[in-house]
Amino acid sequence: MSDIISAEPEAGVAFDTVVPVEKPLQSDLSVLPELLEVDLLVRAAEARAKFNVDGTGLTVAVLDTGLRTTHVDFAGRVKASRNFTTDNNGSPTDAKDGQGHGTNVAGIICAGGVHTGMAPRANVVPVKVLDNSGGGSFLAIRDALRWVLANRAALGISVVCMSLGASDNNTTDAGFAGDGVGVELRKLTDAGVACCVAAGNDYFGHSSAQGMSYPAIFRQTISVGAVYDADEGSFSYGSGATALSTAPDRITPFSQRLHATAGGDCATDIFAPGAPTTSSGIRNDTGESIQHGTSQATPVVAGVILLVQQLHLRATGTMPSVADVRKWLLAGAVPIVDGDDEHDNVVHTGQTFSRISAFGALTACAKDVARTALIEAGIDRSRA
């Protein structure tokens, strides 16, 4: 396996440090239901059964605080580990998670033990770019993306999950030309690796102005906002955002959002359930954790993409392009209106966004594959 990062000239990054991610609430026991509610909202279990997919043979790289690799949720499926922090004595191959965010995120994607993620048989590569305080460097993230690019073939990496970002709010990526993180995200996307990035949690802090944080704003990413998955009561967040009540498909008051009418090609691609979400924990090898955020919505999308990629690969023998994956996610999505029933303390856009459906995305992929097969056989029924 190659450890080459890049022989190219160094490219700078727009921001020095990542906004520290919050620690999930940890529990010794597996008792909380919210990952099941995520699964129900996006119809993931139904989709896995109908299309006979579970992520087998594919790998996700999770750029985060690391992973409790000994957790039963990931047994036998940790392909490699990489550390870009000074934690764990700076060992480059020790991505142990002392904070919990990365383990929670990875579990949402591919837990397959006491918890069940979206793609429960997919492999995982933890790439520790955030230290045990939850913070990190965007230069380290740039280098980590280069490492993923260099090692994607050997490890079978087809999805990158980045539940992290700066604290800014952008409507375009035009100001980031030549940015090192953006350059690597584009290269990965061109190579067929879908890069899922959290839209950001500062909608309230930015006075309800539309936009997304860096690096989600890059048009080559699949950017993800958060909705609630069920009626969970009310929540108040440290940012000042408050949900007076909650219900399925209500956009969370913290989630940054950018509609195509304001952001064009840089708009928020899709929303997913992200509050509150239960997943794997770091206290022990069967523990769990719970957290709210676009950080939790992003791995839902990453896991669904693994299922779509598996279906396409099995049906055609080839991996789909990221453009096709995005097309199927949107074609199979559920429309949600920002402001139709939200009950919170932010101003709403009144715009219609898309919320991911695993069943819908896989159906859209399957239909496209079937139609292509008909065309190649000279039987295009759309022209009949």
Side-chain angles (χ1 to χ4, degrees):
M1 178 173 57
S2 170
D3 281 330
I4 296 173
I5 291 176
S6 177
E8 299 176 5
E10 294 295 296
V13 296
F15 295 90
D16 292 331
T17 57
V18 180
V19 175
V21 296
E22 294 185 6
K23 288 184 178 182
L25 176 66
Q26 300 289 333
S27 172
D28 291 331
L29 302 173
S30 301
V31 296
L32 298 173
E34 283 80 1
L35 191 57
L36 296 177
E37 291 171 348
V38 170
D39 200 81
L40 287 171
L41 187 66
V42 305
R43 301 175 67 187
E46 182 183 359
R48 290 192 298 268
K50 172 68 176 179
F51 293 96
N52 191 27
V53 290
D54 56 12
T56 295
L58 301 180
T59 305
V60 59
V62 181
L63 275 62
D64 214 293
T65 61
L67 183 71
R68 185 177 179 98
T69 57
T70 56
H71 199 293
V72 296
D73 281 343
F74 312 105
R77 293 181 290 114
V78 182
K79 294 278 285 186
S81 298
R82 192 71 179 181
N83 178 22
F84 287 85
T85 75
T86 58
D87 287 345
N88 308 329
N89 296 315
S91 171
T93 57
D94 186 352
K96 181 181 178 182
D97 184 6
Q99 199 263 7
H101 190 271
T103 300
N104 176 277
V105 166
I108 295 168
I109 302 171
C110 61
V114 292
H115 304 93
T116 302
M118 297 297 103
R121 299 310 304 162
N123 298 316
V124 60
V125 173
V127 183
K128 187 173 174 66
V129 294
L130 305 179
D131 60 30
N132 292 335
S133 73
S137 156
F138 278 110
L139 284 174
I141 290 169
R142 178 205 62 188
D143 290 346
L145 290 170
R146 289 179 177 176
W147 182 86
V148 171
L149 184 65
N151 291 280
R152 72 190 187 286
L155 296 172
I157 296 169
S158 58
V159 177
V160 168
C161 184
M162 297 172 63
S163 291
L164 51 81
S167 60
D168 59 338
N169 198 50
N170 309 281
T171 58
T172 178
D173 59 5
F176 300 114
D179 176 86
V181 169
V183 167
E184 300 308 317
L185 289 170
R186 186 182 68 250
K187 290 178 180 178
L188 283 162
T189 300
D190 290 345
V193 179
C195 299
C196 303
V197 186
N201 297 325
D202 292 321
Y203 188 62
F204 179 89
H206 289 292
S207 303
S208 302
Q210 287 196 61
M212 288 192 297
S213 66
Y214 165 99
I217 193 60
F218 287 113
R219 66 190 67 204
Q220 56 265 36
T221 69
I222 295 178
S223 52
V224 186
V227 300
Y228 292 105
D229 55 32
D231 179 356
E232 299 281 0
S234 61
F235 294 103
S236 295
Y237 300 96
S239 65
T242 300
L244 301 172
S245 66
T246 56
D249 281 338
R250 289 185 184 176
I251 297 179
T252 64
F254 57 77
S255 180
Q256 286 169 255
R257 63 206 73 171
L258 179 61
H259 193 263
T261 55
D265 290 341
C266 296
T268 307
D269 288 297
I270 202 151
F271 282 73
T277 307
T278 300
S279 182
S280 315
I282 61 170
R283 280 194 180 174
N284 56 52
D285 288 345
T286 58
E288 71 181 16
S289 61
I290 186 168
Q291 184 61 286
H292 296 240
T294 56
S295 282
Q296 281 59 52
T298 303
V300 173
V301 174
V304 171
I305 291 173
L306 288 165
L307 300 180
V308 171
Q309 290 174 332
Q310 182 187 6
L311 177 64
H312 190 273
L313 179 61
R314 187 179 68 220
T316 70
T318 62
M319 290 290 285
S321 69
V322 175
D324 278 341
V325 168
R326 181 184 281 106
K327 177 182 67 174
W328 297 324
L329 295 183
L330 295 176
V334 174
I336 57 171
V337 178
D338 177 21
D340 60 343
D341 63 347
E342 279 74 12
H343 188 205
D344 51 36
N345 66 341
V346 296
V347 179
H348 300 281
T349 65
Q351 299 286 359
T352 300
F353 290 91
S354 297
R355 190 266 293 157
I356 197 167
S357 164
F359 194 90
L362 284 160
T363 299
C365 174
K367 286 182 176 179
D368 248 13
V369 168
R371 183 173 182 274
T372 298
L374 288 172
I375 291 172
E376 291 175 351
I379 311 171
D380 184 355
R381 295 190 181 276
S382 69
R383 300 176 185 175

